[in-house]
Amino acid sequence: MSLHFFDSRRRKKLPFTTIQPGRVSIYNCGPTIYDFAHIGNFRAFIFTDILRRWLEVSGYNVTQVMNLTDVDDKTIKRSQREEVSLTEVTQRFRTAFFEDIDCLNIKRAHEYPEATTHIDEMVKLVESLIKEGNAYKAEDGSVYFSVSSYANYGELSGKHLEDLRIGDRVSSDEYESKDDVRDFALWKAWDEADGDVFWETSIGKGRPGWHLECSAMSTKYLGKDFDIHTGGVDLIFPHHENEIAQAKCGIGGDFAHWWLHNEHLSIEGRKMSKSLNNYYTLRDILEMGYKPREIRYVLSSTHYRSKLNFTFDGLAAARSAIERIDEFHESWDQYPDGDAAPEATEAIDRARTAFNAAMDDDLNVSGALSHVFTLIREINAIHHQGKATKGFLPELKELWERFDHALGILKPFGEASSADDEDSQRIETLIEDRLEARNSKDWARADEIRDLLADEGVELKDGPEGTRWKRRQD
RNA sequence: GGCGGCGUGGCCAAGCGGCUAAGGCGAAGGUCUGCAAAACCUUUAUUCGCCGGUUCGAAUCCGGCCGCCGCCUCCA
């Protein structure tokens, strides 16, 4: 099976095609930098990361752009509450965002455009929309997109204009200056609540509406036609629908050719929300003692289009699964010299084929991981039979690199190495002492040392090749 | 009201018309060990919410029912 993705617009899984052979352009809806991002955000960013990684592994030259929303109601409110400038807020959370994605082994996009540095592009787009008759300036000074001027409005979300229920969630009074309550703001006229946040432009004094930045910035960096646009399912309507309308009417082209959306996650089976007190930022989870790699594992191991139930049991299970992966990786050094056993080579080939097929099938990470674990079990069994040799290691290592390039989960990251410090020296000495005690069958002394180390959280692992140790994670 | 999704072993989670229903965690047994731990191996769903239907054949398609959930104006 060749590479297939599920396209939200066409509502089915289709063979992936690109505009230019061998090149893929991706635009991701990124965070609003008004606070620390929560783990739901990171599910989305890990999904786009794996998408980008798999395209790279598949041989594509990928250009990835992710926006950072740095002006909107939330950023403005926060800066006012803290009585600091808007830039001070967004700078702080931009830094935090980059720390967070680095921590989760998420590859950096090639560009991170921000709304406030693309006002010109946005104004130009709005001017063009007004000129084409798709937008109008209302009495309140704001500029709105006229939804009825675009016949295909609703093509992405499958919504029909006449079905949209008006007034259920938002009082239509708030929008009395619009021609149609379904019209959305391109440019918001300044009012006192915005304080000193405004731009004096040809379309008035104000600030951009939220949807506008994505149309302007994606096409600026990727062209009016680009390959993939991603985001959370909640953005399909109205955000992405509006992006399409703006871009197609004001810029031309077909905008994004593929739309990939990730599902949300729940926490212990319940919707994550501040009122349920189960709203977690990445930093919250890290403070509880969980490791970035465990979090990445949990966030990536459920298919991106399925709801993910984020649980602390799941994090614990991820820890065990990761230990199994690492034990396997570390066991390679123990293999004796020798030619590759045919069954090992076959297992490796099977794993490669099966992994590729799973990932090609709309990024089936769960399936791909199952093949990683099957490989681990098969090679371990071969090792157990004494048939594992260094002969097949080059092939195995090459495959392992490929797997890790795709998933970013197989090799350790984000943890300080515990070796080489003074404490390690002391532990190693104690292990030496214990070995001597064991050799002289002084079991009491040997167990005493083992207990002593266990009390400080150091776990000893006796094996045929000697004793290894590691600090218990908690 | 409109549009859409989900229900697979104790937990998590693939599979979406046909080989014995992946895999992880957990649990049980075994190997190893001075005893352990760790590690590794083996075992762990005649069955896929319920009831009908289509089919030579269904967890997978269709219909109904039950249960859960999302979107419908700024939330990944």
Side-chain angles (χ1 to χ4, degrees), chain A residues 108-166:
Chain A
R108 297 253 187 140
H110 303 92
E111 292 284 349
Y112 287 98
E114 294 168 316
T116 57
T117 51
H118 293 78
I119 298 292
D120 287 350
E121 287 84 348
M122 289 191 261
V123 168
K124 223 175 265 174
L125 175 52
V126 173
E127 284 172 340
S128 159
L129 287 167
I130 293 172
K131 200 172 124 206
E132 297 297 323
N134 296 291
Y136 58 91
K137 192 163 191 171
E139 278 174 27
D140 62 0
S142 293
V143 181
Y144 294 96
F145 184 91
S146 169
V147 163
S148 58
S149 73
Y150 178 55
N152 285 331
Y153 192 79
E155 64 166 331
L156 175 67
S157 59
K159 295 190 186 304
H160 305 286
L161 275 179
E162 57 274 20
D163 292 337
L164 298 179
R165 282 171 58 146
I166 294 153

Side-chain angles (χ1 to χ4, degrees), chain A residues 374-388:
Chain A
T374 299
L375 175 69
I376 289 175
R377 194 186 62 245
E378 289 178 347
I379 298 290
N380 276 336
I382 290 165
H383 181 39
H384 199 63
Q385 293 159 21
K387 291 195 225 161

Side-chain angles (χ1 to χ4, degrees), chain A residues 9 37 62 70 126 135 139 185 209 247 271 280 340 346 417:
Chain A
R9 188 169 54 86
V62 180
D70 64 347
V126 173
E139 278 174 27
K271 186 182 167 82
Y280 298 109
E346 283 160 22
S417 146

